[in-house]
Amino acid sequence: MSAVPGGGPTIPPVSVGATRRTTSILITPHGSWANGQGVIATGRDLRRSDGDVRTTDEQLSFDLDAAGLIVPRAGGHTLPEELRGLSAQRGLRKTVARLRAGLGDRGDDAFGPVGGLTDTLLDDVVGTCLASGYARLYEGSAQADGGRLPSLMRLTCVGFSTMDRRGEQFDVPAYFATKAPSVEFVIADPLVWHDEPPVSPGSFRRRRMLQVAPMEDRRTAVTGYFRDTFVRPDGVEVVVHEYGLVAALSGDPLVLDTVEAVPGNLPLEHCPLAARSALALGGLPVSQIEPTVRRAMAGPTGCTHLNDELRSLRLVPALLEPDVPRRQMRTYPPSTDSV
């Protein structure tokens, strides 16, 4: 797999013996971003063995009001009632963890197992809502104060903090007008990606993949990828953020032997500098990756979106478990080598 600036990744079908989790978070404004949004979160775990392919699928749908608070959608897929009225961007992860601890046996029923699909989808709603600020800026419903970039962007991004120090302006409409269209990387091959709802003008979408596969030296190979896209009013989908991730783990408990973040299509020339922060995770036990990312990689020298990708390594143990829940079992026709 490769993340190619201005184009798209080459994502091969799931290899024999591997498990792949793919997720999509689609946020679509209700006419205007200032009026609230609809959210559809979909995901799939796919495990491929010699004789069959087994999958688990999940989908959540809900609305966000004008203040960004969660509103369960009538007739939508199950959303834990405890999340009603919570902010989808601030404190959601901590709240889910606190609620899970207080729900006892019902915790798994409400939010799925820790590291499971529902858990992962809810976690990624937070980062997608944050990244969707680009769409708000494009529309004009979230203008920069006094011509400066919003403080959240200046304080959590090496690219924008550098631009702000230099007094440079970021013209969002002009920026997106010059962006190369996103090259679609999903074709009708069920071994590559899960089914997704269609996008529409104004939508913002995050797609994420994490695959684990055994290596001959008894280590585990991990391949990750994520891409944020925005659909302009003219219907053209353009890339906002794109990173690949390559890692290897070994031992019991698992330790991260090597890790590399591969920059793809990113907003600013300084953004790829954040990729070197991944090197600090080498040698850490998997259990220490998330707290290390949260503690040591926050701030203007890094990238909050890359941090979400690095945090996804916490899911490796769950994907390696042999009893990952399976709702379907099918044998797919032979796939092409890549797409």
Side-chain angles (χ1 to χ4, degrees), residues 286-319:
V286 169
S287 61
Q288 293 301 310
I289 290 175
E290 180 161 21
T292 299
V293 171
R294 289 181 179 277
R295 181 181 65 254
M297 298 184 182
T301 60
C303 170
T304 186
H305 311 300
L306 173 60
N307 286 357
D308 275 351
E309 179 67 1
L310 296 173
R311 286 179 56 250
S312 72
L313 291 168
R314 75 193 187 281
L315 302 172
V316 171
L319 293 178

Side-chain angles (χ1 to χ4, degrees), residues 219-260:
R219 294 193 300 166
T220 298
V222 178
T223 306
Y225 175 77
F226 91 92
R227 174 194 277 185
D228 290 337
T229 55
F230 169 63
V231 184
R232 297 188 316 219
D234 61 5
V236 177
E237 188 173 11
V238 293
V239 180
V240 182
H241 304 111
E242 184 179 45
Y243 267 103
L245 180 68
V246 181
L249 301 96
S250 66
D252 184 15
L254 282 172
V255 171
L256 187 61
D257 296 332
T258 61
V259 59
E260 179 185 7

Side-chain angles (χ1 to χ4, degrees), residues 17-98:
T19 299
R20 176 181 297 179
R21 174 169 293 175
T22 52
T23 59
S24 307
I25 312 293
L26 176 64
I27 304 180
T28 303
H30 294 322
S32 165
W33 279 82
N35 295 334
Q37 305 88 43
V39 179
I40 302 178
T42 56
R44 184 190 69 179
D45 285 346
L46 187 152
R47 174 165 290 168
R48 185 179 184 184
S49 62
D50 290 328
D52 62 80
V53 173
R54 304 189 180 205
T55 63
T56 299
D57 299 274
E58 185 63 83
Q59 184 175 97
L60 302 172
S61 59
F62 53 93
D63 292 309
L64 303 177
D65 65 15
L69 304 182
I70 293 174
V71 180
R73 181 179 296 177
H77 294 265
T78 303
L79 185 74
E81 180 63 27
E82 289 84 0
L83 301 184
R84 180 189 294 271
L86 296 180
S87 170
Q89 184 170 320
R90 297 182 182 276
L92 179 61
R93 292 166 180 157
K94 290 182 179 179
T95 301
V96 168
R98 185 171 65 251

